[in-house]
């Protein structure tokens, strides 16, 4: 009840104080609280999705207590709700954002956890399953029977790497890839909670036509394992700061699907663990596959990579790879600037600070008068710009925010890094501009929204900062964004494009919604939420309304959807 009281008190407070209602005709880039939805027992850990149904648009949410609901974006009322199937004594715990598929359907994946779990995100996991919801009728679609996700892959030592539910967690958004004459494919990715060994990165391909036509046993059409090793060290201990097994695919925004002339490509970012292309260990990388099938060939030159050494990897080897990106500095002698990494190699630093490359999701796009590129944000505080066709080509690397603990500050969570997000792309003056949210778990390192330009210079695409919001020279940039924010959502209002992001609060402090003009980084509005907000989740813009997930306890609940009017 105290959580509900917090929501109620803050909801009332957000309408008073220094907030003044301004008529629409004289206000551009303003935010007005509109509603707070029903209370969900579990958090809304994923991002809300828009479904444009026959009766108008709906906001679709999935809650941590195993519900899928349709919320009216105008007033926050629940239009319908469906409970996901759960076995006796268990609960369907949803973290990953579901995927919209053709025909008004939604694919949802979850982990089965104890029904009485107070911290379901780190509770025992008995199995992982998926189902389909008919969004027009608000019911489970019986044409897609509930499917259990399972699989294995051979390891290089002659053993088998099995998908073990207790060591896997579905956190990355499900993504849909089209097919020319069918329903397409959905990809479900897995990392782990707290990196407890043995864990690996797994991706399952769901063939929607086979699932529909042949039943649940035919749903999984392919499986990818990012680190096919059986020796993962001591069972039950954390591998977060080791270079063993791992390679979790857990970025909250999920892999990137890119449609091509031949079909589609799937770009999969991976987290911490073993990195050795000669053993097919692909932690801390981006892996690109031509779909469907999850068949991966890194395209690296075997001769150049034969003497792979993760302490000092061959630059020629990394450059030779067609479908694999391995992070690195663009110049010799560069350092991260983190005291904890003094004297350490690139990947020893990554291990020491648990800086998963794959915490962020990539975005692929075309540069005017240039190539198609891939932009990837990393926990190390930088963005990497690679060639789409040949991922091993690193065009540029730009540090957006200093390492946590810089400027004499004390870092309270070195494992968190400085970015867990996906670039949101706009066009400003004919050039791509990516908007990214950064943060710092300390009291001295500036952080916030950053606009990044991508332009052709001397025949190659180059990154540069366009703006910071707040400006990193302002005190607000040290007071705000002290923890994981939401993802960024771009929206149009009053003839301008804005970036919306939530600086997430906690049980005793509400989150704050920022509205930033994309052309110049000007902060047009700040608005207190009724609750804390929700890290990693992306707000949803439908018409003039912006819908924001908010959860008092970010891993358990309860949670709500907060509605704001943007004008």
């Amino acid at each position: 009840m105290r959580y509900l009281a917090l929501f109620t008190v803050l909801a009332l407070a957000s309408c008073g104080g220094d907030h003044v209602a301004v008529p629409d005709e004289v206000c551009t880039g303003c935010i007005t609280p509109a509603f707070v939805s029903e209370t969900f027992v579990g958090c809304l850990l994923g991002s809300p999705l828009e479904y444009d149904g026959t009766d108008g648009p709906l906001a679709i949410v999935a809650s941590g207590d195993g519900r899928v609901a349709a919320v009216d974006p105008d007033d926050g009322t629940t239009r319908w709700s469906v409970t996901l199937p759960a076995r006796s004594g268990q609960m369907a715990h949803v973290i990953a954002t579901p995927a919209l598929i053709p025909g008004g359907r939604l694919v949802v994946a979850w982990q089965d956890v104890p029904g009485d779990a107070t911290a379901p995100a780190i509770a025992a996991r008995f199995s992982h399953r998926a189902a389909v919801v008919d969004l027009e009728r608000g019911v489970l679609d019986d044409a897609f029977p509930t499917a259990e996700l399972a699989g294995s892959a051979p390891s290089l030592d002659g053993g088998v790497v099995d998908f073990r539910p207790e060591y896997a967690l579905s956190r990355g958004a499900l993504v849909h890839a089209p097919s020319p004459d069918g329903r397409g494919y959905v990809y479900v990715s897995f990392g782990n909670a707290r990196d407890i060994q043995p864990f690996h990165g797994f991706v399952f391909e769901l063939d929607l036509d086979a699932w529909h036509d042949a039943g649940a046993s035919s749903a999984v059409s392919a499986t990818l394992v990012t680190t096919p090793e059986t020796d993962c060290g001591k069972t039950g201990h954390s591998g977060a700061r080791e270079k063993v097994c791992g390679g979790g695919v857990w970025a909250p925004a999920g892999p990137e699907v890119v449609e091509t002339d031949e079909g589609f490509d799937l770009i999969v970012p991976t987290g911490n663990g073993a990195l050795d292309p000669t053993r097919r260990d692909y932690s801390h990388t981006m892996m690109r596959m031509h779909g469907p099938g999850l068949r991966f060939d890194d395209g690296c030159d075997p001769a150049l990579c034969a003497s792979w050494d993760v302490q000092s990897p061959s630059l020629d080897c990394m450059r030779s790879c067609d479908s694999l990106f391995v992070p690195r500095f663009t110049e010799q002698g560069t350092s991260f600037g983190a005291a904890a990494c003094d004297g350490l190699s690139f990947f020893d630093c990554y291990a020491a600070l648990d800086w998963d490359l794959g915490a962020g999701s990539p975005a692929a796009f075309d540069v005017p008068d240039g190539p198609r590129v891939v932009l990837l944000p990393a926990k190390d505080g930088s963005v990497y710009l690679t060639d789409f066709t040949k991922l091993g080509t690193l065009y540029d690397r730009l540090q957006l925010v200093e390492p946590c603990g810089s400027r004499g500050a004390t870092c309270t969570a070195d494992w968190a890094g400085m970015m867990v997000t996906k670039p949101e792309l706009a066009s400003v003056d004919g050039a791509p501009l990516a908007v990214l949210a950064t943060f710092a778990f300390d009291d001295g390192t500036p952080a916030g929204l950053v606009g990044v330009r991508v332009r052709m210079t001397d025949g190659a695409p180059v990154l540069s900062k366009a703006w910071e919001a707040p400006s990193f020279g302002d005190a607000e940039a040290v007071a705000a964004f002290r923890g994981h924010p939401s993802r960024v959502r771009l929206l149009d209002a009053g003839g301008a494009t804005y970036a919306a992001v939530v600086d997430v609060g906690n049980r005793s402090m509400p989150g704050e919604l920022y509205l930033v003009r994309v052309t110049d980084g000007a902060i047009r509005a700040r608005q207190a939420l009724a609750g804390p907000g929700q890290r990693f989740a992306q707000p949803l813009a439908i018409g003039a309304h912006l819908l924001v997930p908010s959860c008092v306890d970010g891993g358990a609940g309860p949670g709500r959807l907060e509605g704001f009017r943007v004008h």
Side-chain angles (χ1 to χ4, degrees):
M1 293 300 293
R2 61 178 177 173
Y3 297 159
L4 302 184
L6 172 65
F7 271 120
T8 302
V9 170
L10 292 178
L12 294 174
S14 69
C15 297
D18 59 2
H19 175 77
V20 178
V22 182
D24 291 359
E25 61 270 16
V26 297
C27 179
T28 301
C30 296
I31 307 172
T32 305
F35 64 79
V36 177
S37 76
E38 69 157 293
T39 298
F40 293 84
V41 174
C43 283
L44 307 180
L45 296 167
S47 303
L49 302 170
E50 179 182 3
Y51 171 62
D52 193 7
T54 56
D55 294 329
L58 295 171
I60 307 299
V61 296
S63 62
D65 59 313
R67 288 174 61 198
V68 174
V71 177
D72 189 310
D74 292 325
D75 60 14
T77 58
T78 299
R79 294 277 195 88
W80 54 256
S81 176
V82 59
T83 300
L84 297 172
R87 297 183 173 104
S88 177
Q90 298 180 15
M91 176 175 64
H93 181 56
V94 182
I95 299 180
T97 301
L100 292 165
I101 63 173
R105 303 294 190 270
L106 183 81
V107 180
V108 189
W110 68 88
Q111 34 265 334
D112 291 307
V113 303
D116 59 355
T118 57
I122 57 174
R125 296 178 290 281
F126 306 114
S127 57
H128 297 268
R129 296 189 290 162
V132 175
V133 177
D134 182 327
L135 297 177
E136 280 296 317
R137 297 185 296 146
V139 297
L140 288 170
D141 190 337
D142 293 337
F144 295 88
T146 300
E148 188 154 345
L149 303 178
S152 62
S155 70
L156 284 186
D157 61 8
V160 174
V161 178
D162 291 317
F163 179 71
R164 299 181 59 179
E166 69 271 33
Y167 293 105
L169 188 73
S170 174
R171 179 162 25 193
L174 280 62
V175 293
H176 174 257
S179 59
D181 54 1
R183 298 176 179 85
Y185 305 85
V186 165
Y187 294 91
V188 187
S189 51
F190 288 86
N192 195 2
R194 300 182 176 179
D195 297 341
I196 303 301
Q197 295 284 18
F199 83 99
H200 307 271
F202 272 84
V203 180
F204 291 101
E205 177 184 84
L206 302 179
D207 183 327
L208 297 174
D209 289 329
W211 189 1
H212 179 276
D213 298 340
S217 62
S218 300
V220 176
S221 53
T223 304
L224 172 73
V225 181
T226 63
T227 52
E229 302 282 356
T230 56
D231 184 3
C232 297
K234 183 181 178 182
T235 297
H237 83 292
S238 175
R241 299 176 191 258
E242 297 179 348
K243 298 192 286 289
V244 179
C245 293
V249 184
W250 66 269
E256 173 85 335
V257 173
V258 184
E259 295 189 44
T260 66
D261 293 338
E262 294 77 28
F264 66 90
D265 283 3
L266 183 72
I267 304 177
V268 176
T270 67
N272 54 300
L275 173 55
D276 186 344
T278 68
R279 293 187 60 84
R280 303 200 308 272
D281 291 330
Y282 296 116
S283 298
H284 297 309
T285 65
M286 282 193 299
M287 308 167 67
R288 187 187 66 233
M289 282 143 279
H290 305 300
L294 292 177
R295 295 174 296 273
F296 182 65
D297 178 358
D298 57 30
C300 304
D301 187 303
L304 295 176
C305 297
S307 57
W308 177 266
D309 178 3
V310 75
Q311 302 294 335
S312 183
S314 164
L315 182 58
D316 289 337
C317 168
M318 293 186 285
R319 286 173 171 169
S320 76
C321 301
D322 289 332
S323 299
L324 182 74
F325 170 68
V326 179
R328 55 194 183 268
F329 295 124
T330 52
E331 298 179 4
Q332 295 293 327
T334 307
S335 71
F336 289 109
C341 292
D342 289 346
L344 298 181
S345 69
F346 189 103
F347 290 109
D348 279 344
C349 177
Y350 262 43
L353 295 172
D354 188 16
W355 277 356
D356 312 61
L357 180 79
S361 291
F365 55 95
D366 295 319
V367 181
D369 300 319
R372 176 168 288 186
V373 297
V374 180
L375 185 67
L376 178 72
K379 279 172 76 173
D380 64 29
S382 65
V383 285
Y384 294 84
L385 186 69
T386 76
D387 186 73
F388 175 80
T389 303
K390 191 176 185 65
L391 277 186
T393 300
L394 175 61
Y395 288 121
D396 204 0
R397 175 184 180 273
L398 178 66
Q399 194 81 24
L400 301 189
V401 62
E402 296 173 290
C404 180
S406 298
R407 307 189 183 203
T410 300
C411 185
T412 58
D414 61 356
W415 52 268
M418 286 71 66
M419 270 193 292
V420 180
T421 191
K422 179 177 182 175
E424 292 300 308
L425 297 171
S427 179
V428 176
D429 297 330
L433 185 134
V435 184
L436 302 105
T438 70
F439 59 89
F441 273 84
D442 67 24
D443 58 357
T445 303
L449 282 191
V450 180
V452 177
R453 295 189 190 93
V454 186
R455 285 180 171 153
M456 295 297 293
T457 303
D458 297 328
V462 174
L463 301 169
S464 63
K465 268 191 183 183
W467 46 259
E468 302 153 345
S471 168
F472 284 7
D474 294 347
E476 184 179 359
V478 176
F481 297 96
R482 296 302 93 189
H484 296 114
S486 73
R487 278 176 55 201
V488 177
R489 169 67 70 181
L490 299 186
L491 56 98
D492 294 323
T497 300
Y498 296 93
V501 69
V502 176
D503 181 16
V504 176
N506 53 44
R507 293 183 182 218
S508 59
M509 181 176 68
E512 187 159 33
L513 175 60
Y514 280 74
L515 200 65
V516 177
R517 192 166 56 205
V518 167
T519 52
D520 57 5
I523 299 175
R524 294 291 298 169
R526 302 170 181 83
Q527 172 64 49
L529 270 64
Q534 180 59 48
R535 67 176 186 168
F536 307 150
Q538 185 180 35
L540 174 63
I542 298 180
H545 285 95
L546 186 66
L547 312 179
V548 179
S550 189
C551 185
V552 171
D553 183 331
R560 291 187 179 182
L561 197 63
E562 299 189 34
F564 298 89
R565 192 160 167 268
V566 180
H567 47 95

